[in-house]
Amino acid sequence: MLEKRVLDKLATIVGKGNVFTLPEDLVCYSYDATPTPHSPDAVALPDSAQRISAILKLANEKKIPVVPRGAGTNLSGGTIPIQGGIVLPLTRMNRILELDEDNLTATVQPGLVLADFQREVEGRGLFYPPDPGSLNVATMGGTVSEDAGGPRGAKYGTTKDYVKGLQVVLPTGEIIRTGGKTIKNVSGYDLTHLLVGAEGTLGVITEITVRLLPLPEAKLTCLAIFNTIDEAAEAVSAIVRNRIVPASLELMDDVTISYVEAYKPVGLPRDAGACLLIDVDGSAVDVPILLEKVSALCRQQGAREVRVAKTKEESDALWAARRIRFAALARARPTIITEDATVPRPLLPKAIRAFKEAAREYNVQVGFVAHAGDGNIHPGIMCDARDAEEMGRVQLFIQKVFKTALELKGTLSGEHGIGLLKSSFLPWQHGDEAVEAMRRIKRALDPNDILNPGKIFPG
Amino acid sequence: MLEKRVLDKLATIVGKGNVFTLPEDLVCYSYDATPTPHSPDAVALPDSAQRISAILKLANEKKIPVVPRGAGTNLSGGTIPIQGGIVLPLTRMNRILELDEDNLTATVQPGLVLADFQREVEGRGLFYPPDPGSLNVATMGGTVSEDAGGPRGAKYGTTKDYVKGLQVVLPTGEIIRTGGKTIKNVSGYDLTHLLVGAEGTLGVITEITVRLLPLPEAKLTCLAIFNTIDEAAEAVSAIVRNRIVPASLELMDDVTISYVEAYKPVGLPRDAGACLLIDVDGSAVDVPILLEKVSALCRQQGAREVRVAKTKEESDALWAARRIRFAALARARPTIITEDATVPRPLLPKAIRAFKEAAREYNVQVGFVAHAGDGNIHPGIMCDARDAEEMGRVQLFIQKVFKTALELKGTLSGEHGIGLLKSSFLPWQHGDEAVEAMRRIKRALDPNDILNPGKIFPG
C-alpha cells in the first residue's frame, strides 16, 4: 500500500484520471504472458518524459518500485510488478514523431503498437523487420526493452540491429538522449544498446529512433514436409551451409502439426514428422532463383513434398498454421510456457533431439517450433500451473533444456529475455563474475533499486 | 617511472623479453595517427587473458595506468598513454581461434590484422564488411574498441553490427565472456555492445566472435564526375531517396582531387568540383541493374561523366584515387588531422556547404572526402602542428564543424572515436547528465580509473 501523500503526488503529476488503485483496475496490470501474476499498489499512466522523471524522483525519495509496461505480452515475467509499487504503462505515448523517408529512419514513442508502425512504413515502401508473434499488440517500447526478434531474425537480426537512438529517463530521473539519427556513431559509451534488452531495469524509454530498410521488391514462400524432424533440421543446416539466407526459416514438429490440424485444419499431413516454412525475399529477379535453390535443398534432404505459394493469398495460407500454433496448443492444456533456448545454427538438429529426449524423460507435453534459421527453439510446454507435481517435472525439463543449450554454446534466451522465469539460471550462462559486472552497472544507474526490481538477476 | 618491484613483477608475468623500458623502445608505443605523443613508463606484451588479468590486478594495487594497444592507427588519440604507465600491445595474440563456416561466425584474438582476417574468410566465400582505411595494419581488437567503419558502412554498418561475443578482462582483473555464437541473444545486459566502441576504457578484449555474411556474388564500380560538390552531394541524396543502398558511396572534393592528381595521376579531371565513387554489390543478376539505376541518377543530378569499371582491374583503378588520398594530402603539409563528423544522410549537402564555408572563414586548408552514403564526412585538415597560430585556427574550424554537425542532429564521430582529441566536446553532444551516466558506468567497472585513463571524458 502506498501512502495517501504518494498517491496524491502521483495524481498531481499525471492527472487524477490517470492513476488507478482499485483492485479491479490493478488486476489488469498484474500479469503478462507468464503464469506468475502479482498486483501493483498503483498504476500511473504518464504522457511525457517530464512526468515520468517526476514519478521516478518521487519513487527514489520513497523507495517505491516502478515497473514500466507496454502491452504486457512478455514471455519471461519481465512485466510483473513482483514487489508491488507503481506500474507505469506507456500506452498513452503512442505517436510516430518523425518518419524521415530520405534518411531511412523513424522516431516513435514507446506505446506505439509494432504492427501499426509496420503498416505505416510499409505503405511508404519501407521496412522494419522485427516480427515477434505478439506484433499486433506489442508496443515498440516493449520490443526494444526485450530486444524482440521473430521469424525474420534469420536474415534481419533482432530489434537491437535497428535501434539507433533513444530518449530515456534514467532510474534517478534524469532525461537523456543516446545515439541519434546517423548510421555511424561512436561517441562515448553505447548507452543505446545497453538499454535495448535491459528489460526496463536501467531506464524508462520515452523515444525510439530506428533505422528502416527499403521494402524488398519480392517475397515468396514454400512449405517443405518431412517424415522426420531430423531430416527437417538437417535441411536447415544444409541451407545455411550453402550460404543461402532465407528471410524466415520456421520449423514445426509433429506435435505442433497435430494440434494445429485439430484446432483449425490447414491441410498439413498429420503423419508428417515436421515441416519447414520458408520465406525468401529480395529483388524480383533474384527471389524465384533463391526459392528454387531452397526447394531443391529440401528435396535433397528428404522432403516428401514442397508446396510453393504462387500468390500472397497462398503464402498467407501456408503461414496460417504457424500463426495459430500458440492458440492450438493453448486449447489442449490450461497453461502454456514457451521457452526460448537458442544454439549456434549447425547445432539445431542436435539440440532438438536432446530436447525431445528430455521431454520424454520428464514426461512433459511439448510441441516444438523453431526460428530454425537462427537456431532459436521454442518448446511450447503444455501443462497446468495448478498441478505442483507436473510443474516440478516441467521445471526439471526446462533446466535440462537450458543446460543442453549452454553446453552447445547457446543462450538462455534468443528473444524473450530473462525476466523472472530465468533469473536463477543467469549465472549458468555468464558466470558469477559477469553477473556481478552487470549488477555493478545496475547499482551505478539505479542506486535505490527502484526500477523493475527483482528481474534478470538471481534472488 | 615505475618501481623496480613492479617491473620485476611484470617480467614474471609476461616474461623478461616481453617487457620494454628503454626510451628507444618506449617511443614506438608513444604515438598513434594523431599529433599528441606521450611516452609510457613500460611496455608489456602479454599472450593470454590470464596474464592480462595479472597485470591489471597489479596495476590496481599500485594505481598504474594501463593502455591496451593494437596497431596504433587510432585517429582520435585513444591509444596515447597520456598519463604514462604501462602500454599493453595485444599484437602477440593474433590467431584465428575458430572459423565456423556452417554457423557463419569466427572467433579471433585481438591482435589479428583485419586484412589478414578478411583474406582468410573471403577465401572461403564469406564476408566480414568493416573496412577502415587502416585495414592492412589495424588489428581486430582496435577496430572493435573503436567501432571502426569505412566506405562499406553505407550498406553494411560498422564493426558493432558484426560483434556477437567477447572474452574480456575487466579493469579489476576478472575474465568474463559476453554474448556468444548465436544470432539472437538477450540474456542479461548487452555487455558486448557496451565494450564495442568503449576505446579500451572498460576492459581489455582478449577474444572476439563476429558473424560473417555470404560473400556477395558480384560487385561493380562506377565513378561519377560533377562540376560542383553540391551536385555530387545532391546525387547522393537522390540515390538514398530512391531506396538504393550501394555497398559504398564515396565523395571526394576538388581539393582532394587536385592533391591526388598532383601525387599520382589517376586521370581525374582537375577542373571537376567533386566525384562520387560508387560500388554496388549483390547477386550476379541484380548488380548490373543496380549500377544502371545509380548511373542514371548521377546523370540526372548533373554528372558530366560516369565511368563504369568492367573488370576488377578497372574497379581497382577507380578506387586508387580514394586509397591514396591520405598520402596525397600528407605530402602537402607536415600535419594531417582527419575529422569525422557525421550527419543524417539527407543533410550531407548542407553540412558540406557549411564545413567548406568554415574552412574559408578560418583560412584552413581542407580536402574533403565523405563516406557519403552514411553521412560520414572526413575533413582532411592540412596544417603544421608546430605553428601555434595556425593550430588555433584549426581548432576554431574543428569546433565549428562539430557545432554544425550537432545542430544538424549529427555526431562528433562516425567511426574514429572520441579519444583525447574530442573529449572536451563530449558534453556538447550528449549533455552533462548523459556524460555523468557514462562516468557512473566507468567508475562502476574501473573504480581506480586505471584502464586507459584520460580518454573519452572531458578533463
Side-chain angles (χ1 to χ4, degrees):
Chain A
M1 281 286 288
L2 299 177
E3 301 167 40
K4 181 164 182 310
R5 232 172 57 85
V6 170
L7 293 172
D8 289 347
K9 188 77 197 288
L10 274 181
T12 312
I13 296 169
V14 295
K16 212 171 169 215
N18 291 308
V19 177
F20 303 106
T21 53
L22 293 174
E24 58 268 37
D25 288 322
L26 297 185
V27 75
C28 303
Y29 299 95
S30 67
Y31 66 89
D32 60 14
T34 55
T36 47
H38 191 286
S39 181
D41 296 307
V43 174
L45 287 98
D47 66 353
S48 74
Q50 287 69 28
R51 293 191 213 278
I52 293 167
S53 169
I55 293 170
L56 291 179
K57 283 174 184 165
L58 174 67
N60 271 287
E61 199 185 301
K62 301 285 180 181
K63 312 283 185 290
I64 302 166
V66 175
V67 181
R69 182 184 177 93
T73 57
N74 193 294
L75 286 158
S76 58
T79 326
I80 308 292
I82 195 73
Q83 300 181 12
I86 303 163
V87 162
L88 208 69
L90 294 152
T91 40
R92 290 177 69 201
M93 299 172 67
N94 62 355
R95 286 183 305 131
I96 296 178
L97 299 174
E98 185 191 64
L99 216 167
D100 187 341
E101 295 189 51
D102 293 346
N103 193 43
L104 307 182
T105 56
T107 299
V108 305
Q109 290 185 312
L112 179 67
V113 170
L114 172 56
D116 292 344
F117 177 59
Q118 288 177 327
R119 258 189 301 277
E120 183 64 36
V121 303
E122 287 177 25
R124 297 162 188 244
L126 294 170
F127 185 36
Y128 179 69
D131 59 344
S134 54
L135 59 84
N136 284 311
V137 281
T139 62
M140 291 294 286
T143 58
V144 169
S145 290
E146 300 296 322
D147 186 21
R152 291 196 287 238
K155 178 168 178 178
Y156 291 104
T158 60
T159 302
K160 75 156 79 82
D161 298 307
Y162 297 89
V163 180
K164 302 305 291 179
L166 299 171
Q167 186 194 58
V168 180
V169 188
L170 293 177
T172 39
E174 301 90 338
I175 302 170
I176 66 166
R177 286 188 183 276
T178 74
K181 286 179 65 176
T182 60
I183 293 307
K184 289 174 175 171
N185 201 343
V186 53
S187 170
Y189 298 150
D190 185 352
L191 298 183
T192 307
H193 285 92
L194 184 62
L195 267 295
V196 177
E199 308 191 26
T201 65
L202 294 180
V204 180
I205 294 168
T206 48
E207 280 185 26
I208 303 157
T209 298
V210 296
R211 72 183 177 104
L212 303 169
L213 302 179
L215 190 63
E217 256 176 40
K219 186 171 80 174
L220 285 173
T221 303
C222 72
L223 180 79
I225 294 157
F226 295 84
N227 286 326
T228 69
I229 193 166
D230 272 7
E231 286 171 344
E234 295 292 350
V236 172
S237 289
I239 291 167
V240 176
R241 201 166 51 238
N242 278 273
R243 309 283 154 81
I244 297 170
V245 185
S248 312
L249 215 177
E250 297 288 298
L251 180 146
M252 281 186 288
D253 76 343
D254 52 351
V255 176
T256 306
I257 289 171
S258 69
Y259 279 100
V260 162
E261 285 297 313
Y263 175 50
K264 195 174 168 185
V266 293
L268 295 175
R270 288 176 195 233
D271 65 336
C275 63
L276 291 179
L277 181 64
I278 307 170
D279 272 356
V280 291
D281 68 2
S283 74
V285 284
D286 264 347
V287 164
I289 302 169
L290 264 179
L291 190 73
E292 188 39 57
K293 282 185 191 166
V294 164
S295 306
L297 282 168
C298 286
R299 278 190 216 95
Q300 278 167 35
Q301 298 295 323
R304 70 188 209 194
E305 185 189 346
V306 181
R307 298 180 192 168
V308 175
K310 287 182 196 66
T311 62
K312 178 159 186 325
E313 290 64 37
E314 285 182 22
S315 166
D316 286 346
L318 293 182
W319 270 89
R322 177 67 184 84
R323 290 215 182 87
I324 62 174
R325 162 254 178 186
F326 195 92
L329 298 190
R331 266 183 20 131
R333 298 294 306 280
T335 308
I336 305 294
I337 299 174
T338 297
E339 268 314 335
D340 183 35
T342 303
V343 297
R345 289 175 276 206
L347 300 177
L348 185 83
K350 197 168 179 177
I352 288 183
R353 277 194 293 272
F355 295 175
K356 288 226 155 208
E357 175 56 36
R360 274 190 296 274
E361 182 181 348
Y362 297 109
N363 187 25
V364 173
Q365 258 183 292
V366 187
F368 285 87
V369 296
H371 305 313
D374 51 49
N376 186 194
I377 305 165
H378 292 316
I381 305 162
M382 294 169 272
C383 50
D384 185 342
R386 298 163 300 187
D387 181 341
E389 186 277 330
E390 183 181 19
M391 294 314 281
R393 283 184 284 113
V394 166
Q395 269 311 309
L396 291 173
F397 169 72
I398 290 176
Q399 289 180 20
K400 181 75 189 202
V401 163
F402 289 141
K403 269 190 194 147
T404 305
L406 295 176
E407 279 165 17
L408 298 176
K409 296 201 175 182
T411 173
L412 297 172
S413 175
E415 53 188 22
H416 296 175
I418 298 300
L420 274 181
L421 295 195
K422 283 176 270 192
S423 59
S424 62
F425 305 124
L426 196 72
W428 290 13
Q429 177 169 351
H430 301 279
D432 291 336
E433 293 178 326
V435 171
E436 176 54 28
M438 295 179 195
R439 277 194 205 270
R440 281 194 248 165
I441 291 169
K442 170 68 172 170
R443 284 193 293 262
L445 296 181
D446 186 9
N448 293 318
D449 196 24
I450 58 130
L451 201 59
N452 207 2
K455 306 299 167 61
I456 298 180
F457 297 103
Chain B
M1 279 288 287
L2 299 179
E3 301 166 39
K4 181 164 180 309
R5 229 173 58 85
V6 169
L7 293 173
D8 289 346
K9 189 78 199 288
L10 275 182
T12 311
I13 296 170
V14 296
K16 211 166 172 220
N18 291 307
V19 178
F20 303 106
T21 53
L22 294 174
E24 59 269 38
D25 288 322
L26 297 184
V27 75
C28 304
Y29 299 95
S30 67
Y31 66 89
D32 59 15
T34 55
T36 48
H38 192 287
S39 182
D41 295 306
V43 175
L45 287 99
D47 66 354
S48 74
Q50 287 69 28
R51 292 190 213 279
I52 293 168
S53 169
I55 292 170
L56 291 179
K57 284 176 183 166
L58 173 67
N60 271 288
E61 199 185 302
K62 301 287 182 179
K63 311 283 184 292
I64 302 165
V66 174
V67 182
R69 182 185 177 91
T73 57
N74 194 294
L75 285 158
S76 58
T79 327
I80 308 293
I82 195 74
Q83 299 181 12
I86 303 165
V87 162
L88 209 67
L90 293 154
T91 40
R92 289 177 70 201
M93 298 171 67
N94 64 353
R95 286 184 304 133
I96 297 179
L97 300 174
E98 184 192 64
L99 216 168
D100 187 341
E101 294 190 50
D102 293 345
N103 192 44
L104 306 182
T105 56
T107 299
V108 305
Q109 290 186 312
L112 178 68
V113 170
L114 172 56
D116 291 342
F117 177 59
Q118 288 176 328
R119 257 189 300 276
E120 182 64 34
V121 302
E122 287 176 24
R124 296 162 189 245
L126 294 169
F127 185 38
Y128 179 70
D131 60 343
S134 54
L135 61 83
N136 283 311
V137 280
T139 62
M140 292 293 286
T143 58
V144 169
S145 290
E146 300 297 322
D147 186 20
R152 291 197 287 239
K155 178 169 181 178
Y156 292 104
T158 60
T159 302
K160 74 154 81 81
D161 297 307
Y162 297 88
V163 180
K164 303 305 290 180
L166 299 170
Q167 186 194 58
V168 180
V169 188
L170 293 177
T172 39
E174 300 89 341
I175 302 170
I176 65 166
R177 288 189 181 276
T178 75
K181 286 179 66 178
T182 61
I183 292 308
K184 290 174 173 168
N185 201 343
V186 54
S187 170
Y189 298 150
D190 185 353
L191 299 182
T192 307
H193 285 92
L194 184 62
L195 267 293
V196 176
E199 308 192 25
T201 66
L202 294 181
V204 180
I205 294 168
T206 47
E207 280 185 26
I208 303 156
T209 298
V210 296
R211 74 183 176 104
L212 303 169
L213 301 179
L215 190 65
E217 257 176 39
K219 186 171 80 174
L220 285 172
T221 304
C222 73
L223 180 80
I225 294 159
F226 296 84
N227 286 324
T228 70
I229 193 166
D230 272 7
E231 287 171 341
E234 294 293 350
V236 172
S237 289
I239 291 167
V240 176
R241 200 165 51 240
N242 279 272
R243 309 282 155 82
I244 296 169
V245 184
S248 312
L249 215 177
E250 298 287 300
L251 181 147
M252 282 185 288
D253 77 342
D254 52 351
V255 176
T256 304
I257 290 172
S258 70
Y259 279 100
V260 162
E261 285 296 315
Y263 175 50
K264 194 173 167 186
V266 292
L268 295 175
R270 288 174 195 238
D271 64 338
C275 62
L276 290 179
L277 180 63
I278 306 170
D279 272 355
V280 290
D281 67 2
S283 74
V285 284
D286 263 346
V287 164
I289 303 169
L290 264 178
L291 190 74
E292 188 39 55
K293 283 186 190 166
V294 164
S295 305
L297 282 168
C298 285
R299 278 188 215 96
Q300 279 167 33
Q301 298 295 322
R304 72 188 209 195
E305 185 187 347
V306 180
R307 299 181 190 167
V308 175
K310 285 180 199 66
T311 61
K312 176 154 190 328
E313 289 64 38
E314 285 182 23
S315 166
D316 286 347
L318 294 182
W319 269 90
R322 177 65 184 86
R323 291 217 181 86
I324 63 175
R325 160 255 178 186
F326 196 93
L329 298 189
R331 267 183 20 135
R333 299 292 307 279
T335 308
I336 305 295
I337 299 175
T338 296
E339 265 315 335
D340 183 35
T342 303
V343 297
R345 289 175 279 204
L347 302 176
L348 185 84
K350 198 167 178 178
I352 287 182
R353 278 194 293 272
F355 295 174
K356 287 226 155 205
E357 176 55 36
R360 276 189 297 273
E361 184 182 345
Y362 297 109
N363 187 27
V364 173
Q365 258 182 293
V366 186
F368 284 87
V369 296
H371 304 312
D374 52 50
N376 186 194
I377 305 165
H378 292 315
I381 306 162
M382 295 168 272
C383 52
D384 184 341
R386 297 162 300 187
D387 181 341
E389 187 277 330
E390 182 181 22
M391 294 313 281
R393 284 184 283 113
V394 166
Q395 269 311 309
L396 291 173
F397 168 72
I398 290 176
Q399 289 179 21
K400 182 77 188 197
V401 162
F402 289 140
K403 269 189 193 146
T404 306
L406 294 177
E407 278 164 18
L408 298 175
K409 296 203 175 182
T411 173
L412 297 172
S413 174
E415 53 186 22
H416 296 174
I418 299 300
L420 274 180
L421 295 193
K422 283 176 270 190
S423 58
S424 62
F425 305 123
L426 196 72
W428 289 14
Q429 177 169 349
H430 301 279
D432 290 337
E433 292 178 327
V435 171
E436 176 54 26
M438 295 178 196
R439 276 193 206 270
R440 281 194 249 164
I441 291 169
K442 170 68 172 170
R443 282 193 296 260
L445 296 181
D446 186 10
N448 292 317
D449 195 23
I450 58 131
L451 202 60
N452 207 1
K455 306 298 167 60
I456 298 180
F457 298 103

